[in-house]
Amino acid sequence: MASIDDQLPADRADVFRAHDLPEAIDALSLVDWWQLPEIPKAPGTRRFTVDAARTVSGYHLLVGLDTWSEDPGAMVVHVIDVWADRWPSAN
């Protein structure tokens, strides 16, 4: 498992954290995202995909419900996979 800093050069990592991640977190908070049927499921987690992001080609957030939170809808991001310059499906 690689950190954002391991996946991107320092200047791009900072821009990614400042622009793309807040937008993803906002998107997750707008709807009952956990219940959407089109979001791929894994045991205890779901993958939130952003294709053609602002600062990178795309990224995945592996998100799970936060069982320790007092808020029943709280989520935690376990893994962030970033594709800096080329999305996997691109030729």
Side-chain angles (χ1 to χ4, degrees), residues 5 11-12 24 34 52 55-57 59 65 73 77 79 83:
D5 292 323
D11 57 334
R12 286 188 73 188
W34 191 258
T55 64
V56 296
S57 292
Y59 59 98
L65 291 175
V77 176
V79 176
W83 282 266

Side-chain angles (χ1 to χ4, degrees), residues 13-36:
D14 290 342
V15 173
F16 174 77
R17 278 193 282 271
H19 296 287
D20 284 316
L21 282 183
E23 289 180 0
I25 300 303
D26 287 346
L28 288 171
S29 70
L30 291 177
V31 297
D32 190 2
W33 171 82
W34 191 258
Q35 302 303 321
L36 295 176

Side-chain angles (χ1 to χ4, degrees), residues 31-49:
V31 297
D32 190 2
W33 171 82
W34 191 258
Q35 302 303 321
L36 295 176
E38 63 271 19
I39 305 297
K41 293 181 182 180
T45 61
R46 292 189 132 189
R47 185 177 67 205
F48 183 77
T49 299

Side-chain angles (χ1 to χ4, degrees), residues 56-73:
V56 296
S57 292
Y59 59 98
H60 297 295
L61 302 177
L62 188 62
V63 181
L65 291 175
D66 186 351
T67 57
W68 294 347
S69 175
E70 294 180 14
D71 178 356

